[in-house]
Coordinates of all heavy atoms in Angstrom, one line a residue:
L50 N 10.5 1.4 2.8 CA 11.9 1.5 3.2 C 12.5 2.8 2.5 O 12.1 3.1 1.4 CB 12.7 0.3 2.7 CG 12.3 -1.1 3.2 CD1 13.1 -2.2 2.5 CD2 12.7 -1.1 4.7
D56 N 23.4 3.8 2.5 CA 22.7 2.6 2.8 C 22.7 1.7 1.6 O 22.9 0.5 1.7 CB 21.2 2.8 3.2 CG 21.1 3.7 4.5 OD1 21.9 3.5 5.4 OD2 20.1 4.4 4.6
E65 N 27.2 -8.4 -2.6 CA 28.3 -8.9 -3.4 C 29.1 -9.9 -2.6 O 29.9 -10.7 -3.2 CB 29.2 -7.8 -3.8 CG 28.6 -6.9 -4.9 CD 29.5 -5.7 -5.3 OE1 30.4 -5.4 -4.5 OE2 29.2 -5.1 -6.3

Side-chain angles (χ1 to χ4, degrees):
L50 300 170
D56 298 327
E65 289 177 346

